[in-house]
């Protein structure tokens, strides 16, 4: 074989080729699914944050969360000393949470459909911002009115190691790396699994800078 025409990368994975990785019975990662949407997504995110800026919230236990939060949609998730809940108004501004941008809704529905969940109608998008060192301890998501709908999460910016556990806190967790543009869909039997995020490592993302941003779409009401 002529060494000049031999293609070293002939067998390599094509880059940015969307893939579906199954991580649970009814959960999967859609690798790179959000990438083609970014030019529409990021300006819409900025508009939401201009109305409802990131803020660090206090848990009922009195700890300040390392992750800063905002929300859009009819319902937004908040926490303070008195508990966790979904509200219609942003407690910071006293105004309704920003409307969910059309492009957010379309992306969440396209991803849910790709994962096998037709008719996903989220009424809430929680926006989490992680700077290096920020983490989310193992927990279950139990504040929604029903667990029938899936949850769709979009990862942007710095990578994260997601912990996907079992149905009890002590169960062994699976580690799933999540990268810029990945979307995870959890549903059905996996909806009440414990999960968390390990501390974000130092880094500078070319598009998002020194942060990881995660959108979590839910049918909360
Ligand atoms: C897995 N956020 O906001 S993705 C959360 O990356 C949260 O910011 C993480 O956990 C993040 O509550 C993880 C969202 C997620 C939401 C619900 C789940 C993952 C889930 C329910 C079951 C299993
Ligand atoms: Fe969660």
């Amino acid at each position: 074989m002529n060494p000049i025409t031999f293609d070293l990368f002939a067998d390599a994975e094509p880059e940015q080729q969307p893939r579906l990785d199954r991580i649970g019975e009814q959960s999967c990662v859609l690798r790179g699914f959000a990438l083609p949407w970014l030019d529409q997504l990021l300006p819409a995110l900025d508009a939401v944050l201009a109305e409802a800026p990131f803020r660090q919230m206090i848990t009922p236990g009195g700890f300040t969360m390392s992750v800063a939060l905002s929300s859009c949609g009819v319902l937004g998730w908040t926490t303070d000393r008195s508990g966790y809940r979904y509200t219609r108004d942003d407690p910071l501004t006293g105004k309704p949470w920003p409307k969910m941008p059309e492009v957010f809704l379309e992306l969440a529905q396209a991803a849910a459909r790709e994962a096998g969940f037709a008719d996903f109608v989220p009424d809430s998008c929680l926006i989490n911002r992680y700077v290096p060192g920020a983490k989310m301890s193992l927990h279950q998501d139990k504040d929604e009115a029903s667990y029938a709908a899936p949850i769709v999460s979009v990862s942007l910016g710095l990578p994260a190691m997601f912990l996907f556990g079992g149905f009890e806190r002590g169960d062994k967790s699976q580690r799933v790396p999540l990268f810029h543009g990945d979307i995870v869909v959890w549903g059905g039997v996996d909806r009440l699994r414990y999960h968390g995020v390990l501390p974000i490592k130092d880094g500078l993302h070319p598009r998002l800078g020194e942060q990881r941003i995660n959108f979590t779409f839910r049918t909360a009401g």
Side-chain angles (χ1 to χ4, degrees), residues 126 128 130 136 139 141 151 186 191 195 212 214 218:
L126 174 65
N128 293 326
Y130 298 74
M136 199 171 283
H139 66 279
D141 287 20
I151 290 181
W186 294 269
R191 176 65 182 71
H195 58 278
R212 168 178 190 258
N214 179 271
R218 301 181 170 88

Side-chain angles (χ1 to χ4, degrees), residues 187-199:
V189 296
D190 293 322
R191 176 65 182 71
L192 284 175
R193 284 186 185 269
Y194 275 89
H195 58 278
V197 179
L198 289 182

Side-chain angles (χ1 to χ4, degrees), residues 20-85:
L20 189 154
D21 292 345
R22 191 148 293 285
I23 59 170
E25 223 179 300
Q26 294 190 78
S27 307
C28 64
V29 186
L30 305 168
R31 296 288 180 195
F33 194 91
L35 293 176
W37 300 67
L38 277 182
D39 290 346
Q40 288 174 269
L41 222 48
L42 295 180
L45 171 62
D46 286 341
V48 167
L49 294 175
E51 261 189 82
F54 283 125
R55 80 293 306 261
Q56 281 179 277
M57 291 183 188
I58 313 225
T59 65
F63 295 98
T64 301
M65 292 181 73
S66 58
V67 180
L69 313 182
S70 183
S71 279
C72 62
V74 172
L75 294 171
W77 189 84
T78 62
T79 170
D80 60 21
R81 284 308 296 251
S82 66
Y84 311 111
R85 63 197 159 275

Side-chain angles (χ1 to χ4, degrees), residues 3-217:
I4 295 170
T5 55
F6 178 78
D7 183 357
L8 266 179
F9 301 102
D11 295 327
E13 284 285 294
E15 261 178 82
Q16 311 210 335
Q17 198 66 39
R19 288 212 325 276
L20 189 154
D21 292 345
R22 191 148 293 285
I23 59 170
E25 223 179 300
Q26 294 190 78
S27 307
C28 64
V29 186
L30 305 168
R31 296 288 180 195
F33 194 91
L35 293 176
W37 300 67
L38 277 182
D39 290 346
Q40 288 174 269
L41 222 48
L42 295 180
L45 171 62
D46 286 341
V48 167
L49 294 175
E51 261 189 82
F54 283 125
R55 80 293 306 261
Q56 281 179 277
M57 291 183 188
I58 313 225
T59 65
F63 295 98
T64 301
M65 292 181 73
S66 58
V67 180
L69 313 182
S70 183
S71 279
C72 62
V74 172
L75 294 171
W77 189 84
T78 62
T79 170
D80 60 21
R81 284 308 296 251
S82 66
Y84 311 111
R85 63 197 159 275
Y86 285 93
T87 62
R88 291 183 165 268
D89 292 339
D90 177 350
L92 189 66
T93 63
K95 294 188 296 186
W97 291 104
K99 186 178 176 314
M100 192 183 299
E102 203 62 42
V103 59
F104 278 39
L105 182 64
E106 282 172 16
L107 175 58
Q109 291 181 328
R113 179 169 298 277
E114 188 74 14
F117 298 95
D119 315 315
F120 178 46
V121 185
D123 55 13
S124 175
C125 174
L126 174 65
I127 307 168
N128 293 326
R129 176 186 194 247
Y130 298 74
V131 293
K135 64 176 170 64
M136 199 171 283
S137 307
L138 273 186
H139 66 279
Q140 289 172 298
D141 287 20
K142 295 176 87 170
D143 300 325
E144 297 71 29
S146 153
Y147 307 139
I151 290 181
V152 171
S153 120
V154 180
S155 290
L156 301 175
L158 292 177
M161 192 60 83
F162 176 72
L163 297 175
F164 193 36
F167 298 100
E168 283 174 79
R169 188 179 296 279
D171 292 350
K172 197 174 156 43
S173 295
Q174 168 185 184
R175 290 179 174 209
V176 182
L178 295 179
F179 301 98
H180 179 63
D182 290 348
I183 298 193
V184 193
V185 182
W186 294 269
V189 296
D190 293 322
R191 176 65 182 71
L192 284 175
R193 284 186 185 269
Y194 275 89
H195 58 278
V197 179
L198 289 182
I200 301 295
K201 293 188 177 162
D202 283 325
L204 191 63
H205 187 271
R207 190 106 182 237
L208 276 287
E210 212 173 11
Q211 59 179 345
R212 168 178 190 258
I213 290 182
N214 179 271
F215 302 155
T216 306
F217 293 92

